[in-house]
Amino acid sequence: MVLYLISEVGSFDLVIDEIPDEVENLIDVEIDGFPPVSKTRNGRYQRSTSDWGYVEDLVEDDDKIGLYSYKVQSTITSRLANTMIQAKMVNNAKRSQHIVFDVQVPKGAFIDNFTMDVNGITFTSSIREKSEARRMYSQAKAKGKAAGIVRSNALDMENFKTEVNVPPGTRIQFELHYQEMIRRKLSSYEHVISMRPGRLAKHMEVDVRIIEPQGLRYVHVPNSLGDHFDGITTISKGEKKAHVSFKPTMAQQRKCPTCSSTAVDGNFVVQYDVNREKTGGELEIFNGYFIHFFAPENLDPLPKNILFVIDVSGSMWGLKMKQTIEAMKAILSELRAADQFSLIDFNHNVRCWRDNLVSATPAQVEDAKKYIQTIHPNGGTNINEALLRATFILNEAQNLGMLDPNSVSMIVLVSDGDPTVGELKLTTIQKNVKQSIKDEFSLFCLGIGFDVDYDFLQRIATDNRGMAQRIFGNQETSAQMKKFYNQVSTPLLKKIQFNYPQESVSDVTQSSFHNYFGGSEIVVAGKVDTENLQHLESIVTATAANAELVMETLRDVEELDGFMKKDKYADPEFTKKLWAYLTVNQMLAERNTAPTAALKRNITKSILQMSLDHHIVTPFTAMLIENSEKDEIMLADQPKDPRRGCCSVDNDPHFIIYLPKSQRNICFNINSEPGDILNLVSDPGTGVVVNGQLIGAKKAENKKLNTYFGKIGFYFKTKGLKVEINTETITLKDGSYSIALTWSDTGHIIRKQLLISVKKESNVTITVGEEMSFMVLLHRVWKNHPVNVDFLGIYIPPENQLSPEAHGLIGQFASEPEVYIHHQRPGQIPEKPQATMEVKGNKLTVTRGLQKDYRTDRVFGTNVQCWFVHNSGKGFIDGHYKDYLVPHLYSFLKKP
């Protein structure tokens, strides 16, 4: 088995190029839920359809892949959700092709199991310490037994994508398990299940069971998948249990009565809440662990002191700014008379609507709305200065005694980009803000857009008793901003302390909290000695609006045993899993703020041990996926940040060179002539060549004719293979043999362990074993456009294993040069500062700016911060750009 890595933002990507011999030789194997398959004399698989009617009943796309069933089962036991997603698929084509299992997992969930069954050969998973897993994988690879690498990345919803190349007739079952704690927001628990099967399923089912010992107030399933599915969901609710079922028939799944495409494309959402009778919260004790759910109601809100810090740099122009202004006007209207507030807007400069906090009187609120309405985005992004100004205002107000002792102070940052002006180093900004806030108030961050550094916003918010949320800059921006604000705008308690009997309780996740907001919930967990304890008592102290509160709760240790053991759907380890979930998340947060390297190492060891003990994937573990004989191994591992992990050439043509060691992007343009062929990679050591031929626009603009890549050639000398990609076709050549696909196809070409994957009218990925991958993007323009033409862009991951001999406009940076950037100063345009860059013995003046990465958005692209080198990269690239001109599409670059 050979597994190829395809780099894709935010995903586990698993591509199997060949099925093992054991599977090829199977005869009359039957998988549960699939008809038997037998192999004919000519080596093709023959399907038995007498029982299941595959050919007659399955609806297939042009690729002849049938989705037999798509099943989601989720059981929620006291807020702990265990979810299983299963897909059964079959290749009904007469040729080998790729079958894809692509699901989204909620951010914050822990994946704990994955299995794959290919015609009866089962692959199962285990969790290992990361370095051990990599060592085992490397050993298997050396013996030719390694199947490949799975990569993941944390976004709001993580993709788990497995792509397997299988012969005709192959049946395959994928099954993924993950667990998460359902958080309470806006007085409701919300369980979100991604439903994006990509095609019609003969059998489709979502089955959600809820078991809540506190009792259920209500269960609601909003119509999140659209009006198309009105009336299909059924809800059965009892006092403490509920069952939600969604089983659309194949006819109901269709977008239209004659459509072969599915309308199931979105999130299936279940909302509910529990009964609350005790102010001190609910204690649940089971199997040696306790969980304390704390969500008091009917309390007067505390007054708040809030500073809104709004990014008004040039990248916020358009819909983002319009939606932000709309949301801010609505948010300001919700301020209470006891609140104090102010506004800061920033680009390369920082402006204050008021230099200090003012009371939220109707007149002040109206004046603030008028101020926001006058904002016009332009310039750079000085996040550091803006946040320090906000903390100064709050600290000064507190030092002058202007704040109510019972009030809660907070900053809400709204931004869509990385810093481009002032302090640029994210760790320094994080440190500066932490030192300025001094744990006195909270920082909440709203990151707008796909290209925002969300991980940074999460770190800086978590550091300062807050949280972050990503908002995608579209028509829903305003609603998403208001929803986020509502979660944090009603502080009810502060300085909360949980106390339990020390002689009976140990390993408590967290005993103190800064604030409690209305509609949310605080959850504490720990171990409890149930053998010598009949009752567990908790005492919670906190500051409320008008008094210090003391809340007590007493719970009988045996109270839950009978109820939980009688329910066959309840998770008997829910308390243990919730404790582990909370503990690991708490330790990850503590590790981010650890003041010393020694403490960070100790916390890391603890997280690792918890991960192994409880079989969950964390940043310090990896998932090994093996067959029963343990002679085929796959590895699930963490990638680098995909926003910065690619060297690319796109547009007319812009080069982006990512330097992993210094974590910088350096950009330059090449201004050459139509017909010229530029060498991008020339590597005699691996025998790989990548060249691009330029085409011109239909006519010049402003006395300049723009050029683009219209043709890209790949030559793999050791395999004797050539690949030519232009704006019409993708062609593989092997001597006199030739095969081609057009951009109107979705398909794959496999030759000598080289895989070409074509995604219709979108991109081509070329994967060479496990050593290299390349992605070519297609840019289509309106055929009758008076100037523009169709063109190509190419993206090359830095993980590609080029040799030290590699050269070319991109290849030379496989050996990263030392780059030193200093003396930053204002540029002619405020949002584009200048600096001095020292590289390869040269001193260059470079400009900070933005280039576009089109991998995730081929229309508008996502912004990439980079230092721009002028004069066609002179001083940064070796020699002159004309030194990289080659005579033919498959020519190696001649050394000077």
Side-chain angles (χ1 to χ4, degrees):
M1 180 180 292
V2 180
L3 219 83
Y4 294 116
L5 168 67
I6 291 180
S7 296
E8 182 167 317
V9 174
S11 66
F12 287 91
D13 280 356
L14 182 62
V15 183
I16 301 177
D17 184 47
E18 299 171 7
I19 294 298
D21 293 338
E22 309 95 279
V23 180
E24 287 280 7
N25 296 328
L26 282 175
I27 297 177
D28 295 329
V29 176
E30 183 168 0
I31 302 173
D32 180 35
F34 285 118
V37 171
S38 59
K39 201 174 186 182
T40 64
R41 290 179 181 176
N42 64 4
R44 297 293 185 185
Y45 286 97
Q46 176 179 309
R47 294 176 301 278
S48 170
T49 59
S50 58
D51 295 330
W52 297 90
Y54 259 110
V55 176
E56 294 84 355
D57 295 348
L58 284 186
V59 173
E60 303 157 348
D61 292 339
D62 294 340
D63 56 13
K64 298 295 181 183
I65 291 174
L67 177 58
Y68 181 75
S69 73
Y70 194 88
K71 180 185 293 186
V72 179
Q73 291 181 340
S74 192
T75 300
I76 304 171
T77 309
S78 284
R79 286 68 141 189
L80 177 75
N82 290 291
T83 302
M84 180 274 291
I85 301 178
Q86 181 194 83
K88 298 180 179 180
M89 307 174 79
V90 61
N91 178 15
N92 283 331
K94 296 180 179 180
R95 58 183 173 86
S96 295
Q97 60 177 342
H98 289 261
I99 288 182
V100 177
F101 176 64
D102 189 358
V103 300
Q104 289 187 325
V105 178
K107 181 175 175 61
F110 287 144
I111 293 172
D112 57 2
N113 196 18
F114 172 68
T115 60
M116 183 171 68
D117 197 314
V118 185
N119 277 359
I121 301 296
T122 301
F123 292 80
T124 57
S125 63
S126 61
I127 307 298
R128 304 292 181 94
E129 190 272 329
K130 182 167 287 189
S131 61
E132 179 193 0
R134 287 175 173 171
R135 177 183 56 79
M136 293 176 66
Y137 175 75
S138 297
Q139 290 176 349
K141 182 178 178 182
K143 297 175 183 178
K145 296 294 185 181
I149 301 176
V150 183
R151 298 258 172 163
S152 75
N153 186 69
L155 292 174
D156 285 353
M157 293 288 277
E158 297 177 341
N159 274 55
F160 187 102
K161 181 179 179 182
T162 309
E163 188 172 342
V164 185
N165 190 56
V166 296
T170 299
R171 300 148 310 174
I172 187 166
Q173 174 178 304
F174 303 100
E175 190 169 298
L176 179 70
H177 294 251
Y178 62 87
Q179 57 181 264
E180 60 175 324
M181 192 180 86
I182 308 299
R183 301 281 184 177
R184 189 170 187 253
K185 298 177 181 178
L186 302 178
S187 301
S188 176
Y189 299 100
E190 187 171 270
H191 184 39
V192 179
I193 299 169
S194 176
M195 290 292 291
R196 291 170 174 85
R199 58 185 76 228
L200 296 171
K202 183 177 180 181
H203 302 285
M204 176 173 284
E205 177 182 358
V206 178
D207 192 86
V208 179
R209 295 188 180 272
I210 306 171
I211 302 102
E212 288 288 356
Q214 277 184 249
L216 291 164
R217 281 180 57 199
Y218 66 85
V219 177
H220 173 60
V221 179
N223 200 10
S224 54
L225 287 173
D227 296 338
H228 190 91
F229 298 101
D230 266 350
I232 297 178
T233 302
T234 61
I235 303 174
S236 302
K237 176 185 170 296
E239 181 185 352
K240 297 183 178 181
K241 304 175 188 177
H243 180 213
V244 176
S245 179
F246 175 70
K247 294 183 180 179
T249 64
M250 190 178 286
Q252 291 169 330
Q253 295 170 45
R254 296 179 188 271
K255 280 188 175 179
C256 67
T258 58
C259 291
S260 61
S261 55
T262 179
V264 182
D265 186 17
N267 292 331
F268 185 82
V269 179
V270 178
Q271 298 171 336
Y272 73 95
D273 200 12
V274 298
N275 297 323
R276 301 178 196 283
E277 298 177 357
K278 300 174 182 177
T279 307
E282 180 74 12
L283 274 173
E284 295 186 0
I285 308 156
F286 193 65
N287 281 353
Y289 294 85
F290 78 89
I291 309 293
H292 191 170
F293 299 104
F294 182 76
E297 296 180 334
N298 302 317
L299 295 171
D300 293 331
L302 295 168
K304 61 180 176 288
N305 316 297
I306 186 166
L307 265 167
F308 299 99
V309 181
I310 305 168
D311 183 347
V312 296
S313 61
S315 57
M316 286 286 288
W317 183 86
L319 184 61
K320 286 182 187 177
M321 196 73 251
K322 180 180 178 181
Q323 294 278 307
T324 299
I325 290 172
E326 179 185 329
M328 283 304 306
K329 289 166 68 175
I331 288 169
L332 288 170
S333 296
E334 296 178 8
L335 291 171
R336 298 178 177 87
D339 296 337
Q340 296 188 88
F341 78 106
S342 190
L343 299 169
I344 292 175
D345 62 289
F346 70 97
N347 45 29
H348 50 284
N349 295 315
V350 178
R351 298 191 309 168
C352 297
W353 167 67
R354 296 284 188 270
D355 289 329
N356 47 36
L357 294 169
V358 298
S359 297
T361 64
Q364 295 283 20
V365 168
E366 192 59 34
D367 192 68
K369 290 180 183 179
K370 291 178 181 178
Y371 176 81
I372 288 174
Q373 197 68 49
T374 65
I375 289 174
H376 297 289
N378 65 86
T381 309
N382 195 339
I383 292 178
N384 185 69
E385 183 62 30
L387 288 176
L388 293 184
R389 182 75 62 87
T391 59
F392 173 80
I393 291 174
L394 285 175
N395 282 325
E396 185 179 53
Q398 182 167 313
N399 294 336
L400 294 174
M402 298 172 60
L403 305 183
D404 185 331
N406 287 339
S407 65
V408 171
S409 298
M410 64 184 74
I411 296 170
V412 177
L413 169 67
V414 181
S415 180
D416 78 330
D418 291 342
T420 63
V421 178
E423 179 57 61
L424 302 180
K425 194 172 182 181
L426 300 182
T427 53
T428 301
I429 297 174
Q430 189 176 346
K431 181 179 179 181
N432 291 344
V433 174
K434 176 72 173 174
Q435 289 178 343
S436 184
I437 286 181
K438 301 173 185 174
D439 288 335
E440 293 295 327
F441 38 89
S442 300
L443 171 63
F444 299 94
C445 299
L446 278 167
I448 299 180
F450 291 89
D451 52 331
V452 68
D453 192 335
Y454 183 57
D455 287 342
F456 165 65
L457 294 183
Q458 275 194 311
R459 288 196 306 272
I460 200 171
T462 304
D463 266 5
N464 297 287
R465 302 178 182 270
M467 63 180 181
Q469 183 163 320
R470 184 198 300 272
I471 289 177
F472 301 103
N474 53 29
Q475 296 290 346
E476 302 299 319
T477 296
S478 179
Q480 292 175 72
M481 284 183 65
K482 286 184 280 189
K483 183 177 181 179
F484 176 80
Y485 174 75
N486 287 337
Q487 293 176 30
V488 302
S489 63
T490 315
L492 300 180
L493 296 172
K494 62 184 292 187
K495 298 179 182 177
I496 308 156
Q497 184 72 38
F498 290 81
N499 299 284
Y500 308 97
Q502 293 184 1
E503 65 276 8
S504 305
V505 168
S506 63
D507 295 330
V508 177
T509 51
Q510 194 168 333
S511 59
S512 62
F513 293 82
H514 195 58
N515 298 315
Y516 166 70
F517 296 92
S520 64
E521 182 175 64
I522 293 175
V523 184
V524 182
K527 296 179 180 178
V528 62
D529 180 7
T530 55
E531 291 186 4
N532 302 309
L533 189 69
Q534 291 184 332
H535 305 283
L536 178 64
E537 181 182 27
S538 77
I539 299 175
V540 184
T541 59
T543 300
N546 300 310
E548 296 294 318
L549 294 183
V550 178
M551 296 158 276
E552 297 184 36
T553 302
L554 187 69
R555 175 63 65 199
D556 189 322
V557 170
E558 303 296 328
E559 190 170 327
L560 267 184
D561 284 10
F563 172 76
M564 298 303 293
K565 291 176 180 177
K566 288 179 183 177
D567 194 290
K568 65 178 181 179
Y569 295 105
D571 185 345
E573 294 191 323
F574 81 96
T575 49
K576 179 181 179 180
K577 289 179 180 178
L578 273 172
W579 173 79
Y581 181 94
L582 291 167
T583 301
V584 169
N585 276 293
Q586 179 183 326
M587 288 193 291
L588 287 169
E590 289 174 352
R591 184 181 182 277
N592 286 337
T593 58
T596 65
L599 180 57
K600 182 171 286 190
R601 283 194 298 269
N602 289 336
I603 296 173
T604 301
K605 289 179 182 178
S606 299
I607 296 172
L608 173 61
Q609 193 58 52
M610 286 284 293
S611 305
L612 298 175
D613 291 345
H614 297 273
H615 198 267
I616 52 179
V617 178
T618 65
F620 311 108
T621 56
M623 179 184 284
L624 278 179
I625 303 164
E626 305 168 287
N627 62 356
S628 57
E629 288 76 23
K630 298 189 182 299
D631 59 0
E632 303 289 342
I633 295 179
M634 293 164 270
L635 176 67
D637 205 352
Q638 296 281 352
K640 297 176 181 178
D641 184 351
R643 299 179 327 112
R644 295 184 171 86
C646 197
C647 297
S648 63
V649 194
D650 217 323
N651 220 314
D652 58 342
H654 299 311
F655 286 72
I656 303 175
I657 306 297
Y658 173 65
L659 304 177
K661 291 180 183 176
S662 58
Q663 295 189 346
R664 297 182 187 275
N665 290 301
I666 310 297
C667 300
F668 58 91
N669 295 344
I670 295 293
N671 298 313
S672 197
E673 301 296 324
D676 285 350
I677 301 175
L678 293 171
N679 175 255
L680 305 177
V681 176
S682 178
D683 187 3
T686 60
V688 174
V689 167
V690 184
N691 294 323
Q693 186 169 26
L694 297 172
I695 56 173
K698 294 175 182 176
K699 65 178 183 180
E701 285 189 313
N702 300 321
K703 299 182 180 181
K704 179 180 180 295
L705 182 69
N706 286 332
T707 56
Y708 310 87
F709 282 124
K711 187 183 295 183
I712 296 176
F714 298 85
Y715 178 31
F716 303 97
K717 185 177 180 180
T718 58
K719 297 179 181 291
L721 299 178
K722 297 177 180 177
V723 180
E724 179 183 316
I725 302 176
N726 57 44
T727 57
E728 300 298 328
T729 59
I730 301 97
T731 306
L732 173 102
K733 301 174 185 178
D734 185 359
S736 60
Y737 172 83
S738 178
I739 185 172
L741 293 172
T742 70
W743 280 104
S744 60
D745 297 319
T746 290
H748 309 274
I749 302 172
I750 302 172
R751 187 88 170 174
K752 297 179 180 178
Q753 294 189 350
L754 182 141
L755 169 68
I756 303 174
S757 301
V758 182
K759 187 174 181 181
K760 182 178 180 179
E761 296 294 328
S762 177
N763 64 69
V764 173
T765 301
I766 299 176
T767 312
V768 190
E770 297 170 24
E771 291 75 36
M772 294 185 195
S773 67
F774 305 89
M775 178 183 283
V776 176
L777 296 188
L778 173 66
H779 296 273
R780 288 275 192 231
V781 300
W782 177 44
K783 288 184 178 180
N784 296 323
H785 196 285
V787 178
N788 296 340
V789 294
D790 295 345
F791 65 95
L792 305 172
I794 180 170
Y795 293 78
I796 305 176
E799 294 86 2
N800 278 3
Q801 297 175 23
L802 299 174
S803 79
E805 300 175 64
H807 210 266
L809 286 167
I810 291 178
Q812 64 186 285
F813 298 104
S815 300
E816 182 175 331
E818 293 291 332
V819 173
Y820 177 45
I821 297 176
H822 58 92
H823 191 212
Q824 184 177 323
R825 51 198 181 272
Q828 294 180 347
I829 303 174
E831 63 266 30
K832 294 184 177 181
Q834 292 185 338
T836 299
M837 182 170 78
E838 296 185 35
V839 59
K840 298 180 179 180
N842 302 312
K843 280 191 176 182
L844 311 173
T845 297
V846 292
T847 304
R848 184 77 167 175
L850 299 174
Q851 292 287 15
K852 293 289 188 180
D853 182 331
Y854 291 93
R855 283 175 296 167
T856 57
D857 187 338
R858 288 189 305 118
V859 179
F860 300 106
T862 54
N863 289 328
V864 174
Q865 297 284 349
C866 67
W867 288 104
F868 185 81
V869 181
H870 303 274
N871 301 318
S872 294
K874 185 178 179 181
F876 179 60
I877 63 172
D878 293 338
H880 192 275
Y881 84 86
K882 290 187 177 180
D883 298 336
Y884 298 87
L885 296 177
V886 292
H888 305 292
L889 197 61
Y890 306 111
S891 298
F892 278 88
L893 184 67
K894 291 184 179 180
K895 291 187 176 180

